[in-house]
Amino acid sequence: SAAARRPWRLFGALCLLRLPRITQPLQKEEEEMAALMGQIEVEKSRYSDHEIRKLEEEERLRRRKESLYDDDDEAPGKTVIMAQDLEEKWEQKFLRFEPAPRITDADKNNIRTSLNRKLDSNLMLLVKQKIGNQELWLLPQVEWQPGETLRSTAERAMATFLGDHIQAKVLGNAPYGIYKYKFPKTIRTEDNVGAKVFFFKAFLQSSDFTQTEPKADYLWVTKNELGDYLKPEYLKKVNRFLLD
Amino acid sequence: AQSLSPESVSPRALCSFSSCSSWLPQRIPLRGNHWQSSLLTPRTALPVRAQPKKKKKVDVKREQAQKDRMKKKLKKLERAAPELIPIEDFITPLKYSDGSRVRSLPPLSPEETERRVLLLKKWCLFKQRQDEAEKKAIQTLVESQQEALKELRLESEELYQAAIRRDEGLFPFEREGPTYTPPLPGYDPPEGKCVDITKVYTQ
């Protein structure tokens, strides 16, 4: 028997997440706790070989300064490397190393299309799409075609906007959220009441974007910045399945 | 040949003498001509009849006894419980239990202990709030997913069944965690060889 034509059109949308590359900065309580833990660890510990060597050498230096003659066991002309010197050498070597900055240029200039921004939080892809006669910022979505599962619809959505070379790991076959809306009365018919958009979540795995030529305007934004671009109802539904 | 008495001749030797064939016994290798020449020599050159047999018996018995003893030992060892593998981290090396290694620090002032206790209480509260927020977020996520699946079921049963199927390719899921600083482009790490000296225990 022929399936009854449902009045809702189905769309599959993909929420592509770029996972954080650096650790988030510690909050005040966390920093205080970390310092306390360090102190307690030092208090409960024993001296290591390096520390004992350092203490002995300091003792020897002090004795030599107080009494004005050389020790018998130190032959003149023999250079002795003190533990203190070693520590200073290590410190110098550490200061000479320049790590990559945590706040990148893209951060400073607020270039929202770059992936190098906000390395400590999740970034989501937003695309500008035409719905009806409006240009809206949305998570990339395409209409479902009979014969494919909704997950493959979502993957097709990603391929449409970013090309085939992007690798992403879709988290499971089930949708994470749904946004349904009714079409405005002018285009609403018996068979075409509205649309249901099913959201899927995926983690971005390839970091090479040189080959992609995006087909439309796109942005990579954090969860907090979503409010600048998405409509309130849509945003409410999307925020439910996004963990910060 | 007349000087030989019948008892002193071994049956094998007799055989070879009578047949004079190329078949030679194992214990007397290639001795055909040599034996014939020794016929003329006195009896002492010939092997005594009883000895080879005794050697075989005793050897076999001794070997069997040895094998049994080894098997018994093996069985005993197998029956013993396997030794527990020591955890290196939990055994403090003896040199650190020395008295000279104890740190000499000034005792904690009461203000310091007060501060520590208050900080631990604040930390407890902070962690509780963080944990509750995480649980609430997971709860909303699960609810959102259930709602989506309900709507999908209303739409089409076939799509619903495809959605609730288990995703085989998802696990094992591996990912490298975040570091403190992002990777430095064009960084050349110093050359060196890493020698692994961890002790491996087998039971």
Side-chain angles (χ1 to χ4, degrees), chain A residues 2 9-10 43 81 90 96 99 114 140-141 153-154 184 189 223 237:
Chain A
R9 285 169 66 182
L10 299 179
E43 280 163 20
I81 303 175
W90 297 333
R96 253 180 284 149
S114 137
Q141 71 186 42
T153 319
T189 60
K223 189 175 172 196
K237 292 287 178 170

Side-chain angles (χ1 to χ4, degrees), chain A residues 19 21-23 27 32-33 43 45 47 49 51 102 151 173 175-176 178 180 196 237 240, chain B residues 95 101 103 115-116 119-120 126 144-145 147 151-152 155 163 165 167 169 175 179-180 182 184:
Chain A
L19 293 167
R21 294 223 187 102
I22 57 176
T23 50
Q27 298 184 15
E32 286 174 15
M33 199 60 191
E43 280 163 20
S45 67
Y47 283 132
D49 292 336
E51 287 189 308
R102 280 164 63 95
R151 179 185 163 155
N173 288 324
Y176 273 77
I178 177 168
K180 61 181 185 183
K196 286 189 181 176
K237 292 287 178 170
R240 286 182 80 197
Chain B
K95 65 176 182 173
R101 293 251 183 179
R103 227 172 256 275
R115 178 193 82 99
R116 283 187 186 187
L119 180 59
L120 285 170
F126 170 79
S144 160
Q145 193 167 50
E147 196 189 304
E151 293 284 333
L152 184 57
E155 272 307 300
R165 213 174 296 149
D167 186 9
R175 177 183 114 82
T179 50
Y180 185 65
L184 194 61

Side-chain angles (χ1 to χ4, degrees), chain B residues 10-201:
Chain B
S10 61
R12 267 210 219 110
L14 253 178
C15 248
S16 66
F17 174 68
S18 55
S19 59
C20 247
S21 60
S22 56
W23 180 85
L24 290 162
Q26 217 177 359
R27 290 215 188 244
I28 314 165
L30 294 168
R31 269 259 237 113
N33 293 334
H34 181 70
W35 192 85
Q36 285 202 337
S37 63
S38 67
L39 263 176
L40 311 164
T41 54
R43 229 200 299 163
T44 48
L46 281 170
V48 179
R49 186 176 55 173
Q51 243 186 11
K53 273 196 182 162
K54 234 195 249 174
K55 258 194 199 160
K56 276 190 286 171
K57 257 196 210 158
V58 163
D59 270 350
V60 164
K61 267 194 184 167
R62 224 186 277 172
E63 275 181 31
Q64 268 202 333
Q66 262 182 353
K67 274 189 207 166
D68 286 330
R69 266 179 267 153
M70 292 297 283
K71 276 186 197 164
K72 261 194 179 173
K73 280 188 193 162
L74 275 169
K75 273 190 197 164
K76 256 196 186 171
L77 285 171
E78 272 168 28
R79 242 182 282 147
E83 248 179 46
L84 297 170
I85 300 175
I87 303 175
E88 305 265 325
D89 286 341
F90 291 172
I91 309 167
T92 46
L94 284 170
K95 65 176 182 173
Y96 294 114
S97 45
D98 206 8
S100 67
R101 293 251 183 179
V102 177
R103 227 172 256 275
S104 56
L105 293 164
L108 290 178
S109 62
E111 289 96 15
E112 180 63 23
T113 38
E114 185 79 20
R115 178 193 82 99
R116 283 187 186 187
V117 165
L118 288 174
L119 180 59
L120 285 170
K121 286 185 190 241
K122 261 203 295 185
W123 175 249
C124 190
L125 197 65
F126 170 79
K127 268 301 187 188
Q128 186 194 40
R129 290 205 182 121
Q130 199 185 54
D131 194 41
E132 269 178 31
E134 202 176 297
K135 285 189 175 136
K136 218 168 88 168
I138 294 175
Q139 189 67 26
T140 28
L141 192 132
V142 168
E143 273 169 16
S144 160
Q145 193 167 50
Q146 290 300 323
E147 196 189 304
L149 283 171
K150 209 168 66 172
E151 293 284 333
L152 184 57
R153 192 155 210 189
L154 287 178
E155 272 307 300
S156 111
E157 190 62 32
E158 174 194 315
L159 283 177
Y160 176 75
Q161 289 301 326
I164 58 173
R165 213 174 296 149
R166 193 181 283 194
D167 186 9
E168 303 296 334
L170 188 58
F171 294 111
F173 177 71
E174 277 179 12
R175 177 183 114 82
E176 294 215 350
T179 50
Y180 185 65
T181 51
L184 194 61
Y187 176 64
D188 190 23
E191 289 272 323
K193 200 167 70 148
C194 184
V195 180
D196 199 7
I197 52 168
T198 43
K199 292 192 192 154
V200 176
Y201 294 93

